[in-house]
Amino acid sequence: MRQQGISLVEMMIALALGMIVVGAAMAIYVSAFSANSTQMRMSRLNNDLRSVMTQITRDLRRAGYHNWSLATHASRNYLTNPQATPTITASASTTQYDEDSNSAAANSEIYAFQWADTDGDTINDTIQARIGSGGWTNLTDPDVIRITNFVITNNSPAAINPTGAVAAITIPVYAIEITGQLVADATIQRSIRETVRARNPIVVANP
């Protein structure tokens, strides 16, 4: 009785087809894994930048706040404790507000941010924060994320100052832009922007 089976040629064709199928499956897997890894790194970058932006916008919104209900309720004189005008430069901000509601802004209630160089190459790479006269703290890890741009623009409108008024009032408005990239892969970068309107007007007494 003659046995039936596959020939060498048929077996080689089957192996070739199997390798093609396996290769295609591997290519799909590698592509999906790479896309997922890129997405995870982009998500990490976005989350870190958003966290920094939240801290900066939070302090700018509260800039100049004093607890008027305790300090001036009786006299209605809002110039008793005039608010401190925020100090804003292109890549830094210093704000102050009455965080503990004692009607006075102390040194410990000064909040500052700056774009700084941490590795000595004269290129700014991270955003730092400081409270009062304390030391600067990195808000991003410069070994993981490089901040390539940090700009604060003062878009405040002109002060409201009617003729004969005892004070001029300004509602501060700031535009913030932060750009960062991953140190391990500079092609992964992200820019976020935010416009901030302070909750409290800046009151400046007229001479």
Side-chain angles (χ1 to χ4, degrees), residues 40-46 48-49 118-119 125-126 138-148 180-186 188-189:
M40 289 180 63
R41 287 183 289 177
M42 177 65 80
S43 179
R44 162 72 187 277
L45 175 61
N46 186 68
D48 281 9
L49 294 182
T118 60
D119 56 12
D125 54 20
T126 191
N138 293 340
L139 296 181
T140 54
D141 184 348
D143 293 330
V144 177
I145 295 174
R146 175 180 291 274
I147 300 300
T148 57
Q181 66 184 31
L182 292 182
V183 173
D185 186 354
I188 298 180
Q189 55 184 339

Side-chain angles (χ1 to χ4, degrees), residues 19 142 144 151:
M19 291 179 64
V144 177
V151 176

Side-chain angles (χ1 to χ4, degrees), residues 147-167:
I147 300 300
T148 57
N149 188 45
F150 176 42
V151 176
I152 304 176
T153 306
N154 189 342
N155 292 333
S156 303
I160 301 172
N161 190 12
T163 302
V166 297

Side-chain angles (χ1 to χ4, degrees), residues 20-206:
I20 292 173
V21 171
V22 171
M26 287 294 295
I28 293 173
Y29 172 79
V30 170
S31 177
F33 180 82
S34 177
N36 184 60
S37 177
T38 300
Q39 185 62 36
M40 289 180 63
R41 287 183 289 177
M42 177 65 80
S43 179
R44 162 72 187 277
L45 175 61
N46 186 68
N47 289 340
D48 281 9
L49 294 182
R50 181 56 58 187
S51 176
V52 173
M53 180 68 81
T54 297
Q55 293 185 60
I56 296 172
T57 56
R58 177 197 62 194
D59 286 339
L60 285 177
R61 283 194 181 99
R62 293 187 289 187
Y65 169 74
H66 283 262
N67 192 338
W68 300 121
S69 62
L70 293 179
T72 63
H73 178 55
S75 64
R76 302 292 183 184
N77 180 10
Y78 294 112
L79 297 178
T80 300
N81 286 316
Q83 297 112 312
T85 303
T87 300
I88 304 296
T89 65
S91 59
S93 71
T94 301
T95 59
Q96 187 172 20
Y97 50 86
D98 183 18
E99 186 175 34
D100 57 10
S101 299
N102 68 348
S103 303
N107 182 64
S108 61
E109 295 168 326
I110 295 177
Y111 300 84
F113 299 93
Q114 68 174 5
W115 188 23
D117 170 30
T118 60
D119 56 12
D121 62 359
T122 70
I123 299 175
N124 292 337
D125 54 20
T126 191
I127 296 177
Q128 298 178 326
R130 182 176 69 183
I131 299 177
S133 57
W136 290 99
T137 300
N138 293 340
L139 296 181
T140 54
D141 184 348
D143 293 330
V144 177
I145 295 174
R146 175 180 291 274
I147 300 300
T148 57
N149 188 45
F150 176 42
V151 176
I152 304 176
T153 306
N154 189 342
N155 292 333
S156 303
I160 301 172
N161 190 12
T163 302
V166 297
I169 299 176
T170 303
I171 307 296
V173 177
Y174 306 105
I176 308 168
E177 181 177 356
I178 302 174
T179 303
Q181 66 184 31
L182 292 182
V183 173
D185 186 354
T187 63
I188 298 180
Q189 55 184 339
R190 179 89 162 88
S191 291
I192 58 175
R193 299 172 181 83
E194 192 84 34
T195 298
V196 181
R197 179 184 182 277
R199 294 172 181 166
N200 307 280
I202 300 301
V203 180
V204 179
N206 286 327

